[in-house]
Amino acid sequence: MSSIRFERISRTFRVGGQLVPALADIDLHVDEREFVAIVGPSGCGKTTLLRMAAGLDHPTSGRVLVGGRPVTGPGPDRAVVFQQFALFPWKTIRDNIGFGLKCTGVSRAQREPIVERYLKVMGLDGHGDAYPHQLSGGMQQRVALARSYALEPEVLLMDEPFGALDAQTRIDMQEELIRLSRVHPRTVLFITHSVDEAVYLADRVVAMDRRPGRVREIMDIAQIRRSEKWGELPVEEVMDLESFNHLRTRIWRLLRRGDGEASGHGVVDNPPLRTQPAQKTKLRRAQ
Amino acid sequence: MLRQETRVPVWLPGTLSVASCIGLWVVATTFEFVGPARLPGPKDLWESFEQLMDPGYAGGTLPQQVWFSVRLVLAGFAVAIVTGVPLGILMGMSRRAEALINPAFLVIRPIPPLAWIPLAILWFGLGNGAKIFVIWFGAFVPALINTYTGVRSVDPGLIAAARVHGARPWHVLFEVVVPGALPLIFTGLRLALQASWTALVAAELVGAFYGLGRVLMTAARDIYPGMIAAAMICVALLGASMTYLLGLAEAKATPWRNR
Ligand SMILES: Nc1ncnc2c1ncn2[C@@H]1O[C@H](COP(=O)(O)OP(=O)(O)O)[C@@H](O)[C@H]1O
Ligand SMILES: [Mg+2]
């Protein structure tokens, strides 16, 4: 049992004596072993939502359930991969990967083979005794992935995990992630700025609005992914598929509020600051 | 294009500056630009060290005086570490502890350690207790402040990362907070060590039966510049070597910062 349910979540922050609604009325679920990606402009509350599932933040109203139980705090059953890696600078790569195991009481002798396996899986052989600052950004992110994977958590929460990587490394990491989820499917909540990334990785893509953050639309692409076997193709081939491009264009339109403006370059940031009620947009789209 | 290779070894400038200071001193004293009553020459200094070694001076030989002072410094410094560092961690981690301790700390902190000497003598007499107390106070303040600052400077993102990977509070403390604060803790300890020596010499100047401060005080009374210089050099060398040892300990404790 490892589904995630957000039930009528809202979250208000108090900033300088003023109440700022960050999330309003979010209803969302990630089924067991499903990969759900959230896209949306900066500040629409993606991180806040993920932190609630992690137990690092709490809703002002509504509740978050993981595996049917309300989340009360962080736990090793819901490992988080952060955008800024958040590796421990004072620990070697080996000790970073083994950190969660150590905290959950796995003995040194039992940790060792697991850590070695992930060093190999992530292509980090020979770097086990290095410190994080001695590695490139891509390698650091692989360490962060390994640290979360080593716990074999039922739920993985990823907050723009590849956002700080260069384009080439980013694509390598996306393929890596697809490969890992094929070997061992998990429940994944994945946040990204990139529409391409969301469509390439996810079973369902959630598009969000901001001020306050709301779910605009949810798109189910599991069917297409499965029937066209995206998981077995290299990124560039998937991105060449008509179905892929159709989907990404649709999401782009959604995020640009359905108007006819030119599309961007795969990254959703700073969209036009026009706010419209969700209903109105829906009507327009229905026309 | 001609480009001259000018490679200066790293140790050269430092050695040169120290050597020229010594050279200046030798020249100034041998040709008596400065009289021996004000600044002792190399010969005076050597004789003072000989006297300090063999019959001894101010109640003891050099090793005895050194040992006496070093013991007090180590005692006061150690007590400052075991009180200042944990209290700094506690204040850095708990708002409640901070609210409780900080006001009291803010009141006593501006009191110079040396201003405690009279009270310390009233409380503990002229013995070791008063000196250890004064050294402790001098060293405690920088140890606590820097530890506190170090703990507060730990990236909250790393604490969150620890917690979502199963860290319990003691894991957060010992695997994240303490190592994250360690560089600043060591900065605090370096300042605390310097403060320890300052406080020691001051405390021994005021009243002591043994120690390098006692040597200094007695030599001043005897108008004995060679001995004054000898004791000062001992304090300098001891302070520098203890700071050096602390640096070694720091390198050992924070291997991730070594290149
Ligand atoms: N701790 C906080 N205090 C005040 N405001 C916050 C806090 N965390 C997030 N916010 C606000 O909530 C909104 C959503 O933030 P965030 O979840 O980080 O968005 P995203 O990850 O989608 O960029 C933003 O307007 C942000 O300024
Ligand atoms: Mg974010």
Side-chain angles (χ1 to χ4, degrees), chain A residues 95-163:
Chain A
D95 289 347
N96 265 287
I97 296 175
F99 176 80
L101 296 168
K102 183 178 182 183
C103 289
T104 49
V106 179
S107 75
R108 178 177 289 275
Q110 284 174 304
R111 290 203 296 271
E112 221 162 80
I114 303 174
V115 170
E116 290 307 317
R117 195 172 83 230
Y118 279 102
L119 279 172
K120 197 160 292 161
V121 166
M122 294 295 179
L124 294 162
D125 311 90
H127 295 285
D129 295 320
Y131 288 99
H133 74 271
Q134 297 170 315
L135 268 50
S136 69
M139 289 167 107
Q140 290 187 29
Q141 190 56 287
R142 287 207 289 273
V143 177
L145 271 179
R147 176 177 63 181
S148 297
Y149 265 89
L151 274 171
E152 312 214 322
E154 291 300 313
V155 175
L156 265 176
L157 305 169
M158 309 176 96
D159 190 0
E160 302 190 31
F162 309 145

Side-chain angles (χ1 to χ4, degrees), chain A residues 74-75 80 86-91 100 102-103 131 133 147-148, chain B residues 158 160-167 171 175-176 179-180 255-256:
Chain A
V80 180
L87 298 176
F88 306 113
W90 42 85
K91 289 183 178 294
K102 183 178 182 183
C103 289
Y131 288 99
H133 74 271
R147 176 177 63 181
S148 297
Chain B
L158 292 181
R163 295 177 68 209
V164 298
H165 289 96
H171 292 123
E175 310 270 345
V176 183
W256 66 93

Side-chain angles (χ1 to χ4, degrees), chain B residues 222-243:
Chain B
D222 294 351
I223 316 181
Y224 189 172
M227 191 58 77
I228 294 176
M232 285 173 70
I233 288 172
C234 286
V235 171
L237 290 178
L238 288 169
S241 26
M242 280 174 72
T243 304

